[in-house]
């Protein structure tokens, strides 16, 4: 699939989520991937859009005074939680390329007291206008899989550049359990649904190692990905989140082979092909 077309379809889908009213099942999705009721009640309601595939904060071990950067921060869900952990002496920086998501994040920020240490930045996560060594920790939640395959290595290079020596990465992402069939790979509906663009575990390890990361852990959280589809079916009329059926106008790709446009997330068992993985790594102390 064409890189520019992928970015446009991703923008369209997640922009529509940002503009929609909150769904009744977003909280259930977040809880299914490790967030507690207390966490959900502690942040703006409109920050949760049901697009999590794990809880990177569970492994980030954030401490007061640290700087944390969230790649693909959306409406601010994880950033608002991270900001509580780093405290007013720390910094919590969200990075997203989608203007609608950023508008929703800034609206949430305006309603949040004691939030001077929180900021949101418009940028593609392959090229982030922040200085080298900005962050103690980088988090991301179900976003890297949406980056076109040829540009994924640039994301890991940015992680290494932005982290201080000894800094750490804590990511939740959808990875493929086995090579995807070509018809699945070419489906735009599956791509914006976080499946068709999923990489293999071995690729993540190679990209991390190639950028000087150590103590690498990439493990399947064994979560049920079908929760997205099940929730969408139970709540007809609600907007769909990550890994859920999407609008037909986003489904088609530029491929002349139209069979790819007919495949949807509802047609497959997501758990057969992909899983929610926890990724943790530490930037080598001598890597610059």
């Amino acid at each position: 699939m064409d890189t520019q077309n992928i970015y446009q379809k991703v923008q369209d889908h997640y922009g529509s989520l940002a503009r929609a009213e909150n769904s009744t099942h977003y909280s259930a999705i977040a809880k299914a991937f490790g967030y507690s009721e207390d966490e959900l009640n502690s942040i703006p309601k409109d920050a949760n859009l049901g697009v999590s595939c794990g809880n990177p904060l569970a492994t980030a071990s954030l401490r007061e005074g640290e700087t944390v950067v969230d790649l693909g921060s959306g409406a601010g869900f994880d950033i608002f939680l991270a900001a509580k952990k780093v405290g007013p002496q720390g910094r919590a920086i969200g990075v997203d390329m989608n203007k609608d998501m950023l508008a929703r994040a800034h609206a949430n920020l305006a309603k949040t007291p004691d939030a001077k240490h929180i900021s949101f930045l418009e940028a593609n996560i392959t090229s982030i206008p922040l200085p080298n060594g900005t962050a103690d920790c980088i988090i991301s939640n179900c976003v890297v899989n949406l980056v076109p395959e040829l540009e994924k290595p640039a994301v890991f290079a940015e992680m290494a550049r932005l982290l201080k020596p000894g800094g750490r990465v804590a990511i939740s992402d959808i990875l493929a359990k086995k090579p995807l069939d070509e018809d699945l790979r070419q489906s735009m509906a599956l791509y914006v649904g976080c499946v068709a663009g999923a990489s293999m575990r071995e690729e993540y390890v190679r990209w991390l190692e190639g950028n000087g990361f150590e103590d690498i852990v990439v493990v399947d959280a064994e979560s049920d990905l079908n929760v997205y589809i099940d929730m969408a079916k139970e709540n007809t009329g609600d907007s769909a989140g990550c890994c859920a059926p999407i609008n037909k106008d986003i489904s088609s790709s530029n491929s002349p082979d139209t069979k790819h446009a007919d495949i949807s997330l509802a047609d497959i068992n997501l758990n057969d092909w992909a899983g929610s993985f926890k990724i943790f790594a530490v930037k080598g102390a001598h890597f610059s």
Side-chain angles (χ1 to χ4, degrees):
M1 288 183 282
D2 176 72
T3 295
Q4 190 57 43
N5 189 45
I6 289 174
Y7 275 126
Q8 187 59 57
K9 296 298 186 181
V10 169
Q11 288 268 31
D12 291 344
H13 178 54
Y14 289 91
S16 68
L17 285 181
R19 295 188 301 271
E21 294 293 327
N22 260 49
S23 166
T24 58
H25 67 272
Y26 287 172
S27 291
I29 289 175
K31 290 176 186 176
F33 289 106
Y35 292 93
S36 69
E37 186 73 33
D38 287 344
E39 286 177 312
L40 297 178
N41 290 335
S42 71
I43 62 172
K45 175 186 175 183
D46 288 341
N48 177 20
L49 299 181
V51 293
S52 301
C53 65
N55 183 354
L57 298 174
T59 54
S61 299
L62 294 175
R63 297 181 287 270
E64 288 194 15
E66 289 191 318
T67 295
V68 56
V69 176
D70 183 6
L71 304 188
S73 52
F77 184 37
D78 286 317
I79 274 296
F80 287 111
L81 290 170
K84 294 180 179 296
K85 295 181 180 294
V86 301
Q89 301 306 312
R91 295 176 65 198
I93 305 169
V95 180
D96 207 284
M97 69 176 185
N98 190 291
K99 293 182 183 296
D100 292 307
M101 283 291 186
L102 288 165
R104 188 155 180 162
H106 281 114
N108 288 327
L109 184 59
K111 297 180 289 186
T112 304
D114 303 321
K116 293 182 179 179
H117 61 307
I118 302 175
S119 60
F120 293 99
L121 177 66
E122 181 179 352
N124 191 307
I125 62 173
T126 59
S127 180
I128 302 169
L130 287 172
N132 295 356
T134 292
D136 296 285
C137 183
I138 288 176
I139 61 174
S140 187
N141 197 340
C142 214
V143 171
V144 178
N145 67 80
L146 294 171
V147 177
E149 190 71 16
L150 293 178
E151 298 195 6
K152 281 189 173 74
V155 177
F156 292 85
E158 278 294 85
M159 292 178 189
R161 182 185 70 81
L162 290 175
L163 282 172
K164 301 172 183 177
R168 59 209 184 275
V169 167
I171 298 173
S172 294
D173 206 8
I174 301 292
L175 298 186
K177 294 180 178 178
K178 56 186 176 182
L180 301 182
D181 292 345
E182 185 63 16
D183 55 348
L184 299 182
R185 281 286 185 197
Q186 292 299 322
S187 168
M188 188 59 73
L190 296 186
Y191 201 101
V192 301
C194 306
V195 176
S199 303
M200 300 288 289
R201 177 189 180 278
E202 294 75 13
E203 293 177 292
Y204 265 56
V205 172
R206 184 174 73 249
W207 291 326
L208 287 165
E209 289 179 339
N211 284 286
F213 284 94
E214 304 170 348
D215 301 326
I216 299 169
V217 177
V218 183
V219 297
D220 191 344
E222 300 184 352
S223 300
D224 180 11
L225 296 189
N226 289 322
V227 66
Y228 299 107
I229 297 173
D230 295 340
M231 289 293 176
K233 288 179 180 177
E234 292 176 10
N235 297 270
T236 57
D238 285 343
S239 56
C242 178
C243 293
I246 64 172
N247 295 334
K248 291 182 179 180
D249 60 336
I250 296 175
S251 299
S252 61
S253 72
N254 282 340
S255 170
D257 186 352
T258 56
K259 71 176 182 178
H260 301 313
D262 297 331
I263 301 172
S264 74
L265 289 155
D267 294 331
I268 64 174
N269 182 345
L270 296 179
N271 298 313
D272 288 343
W273 296 96
S276 171
F277 280 71
K278 296 183 289 186
I279 300 102
F280 181 86
V282 177
K283 178 180 175 180
H286 302 291
F287 185 82
S288 59

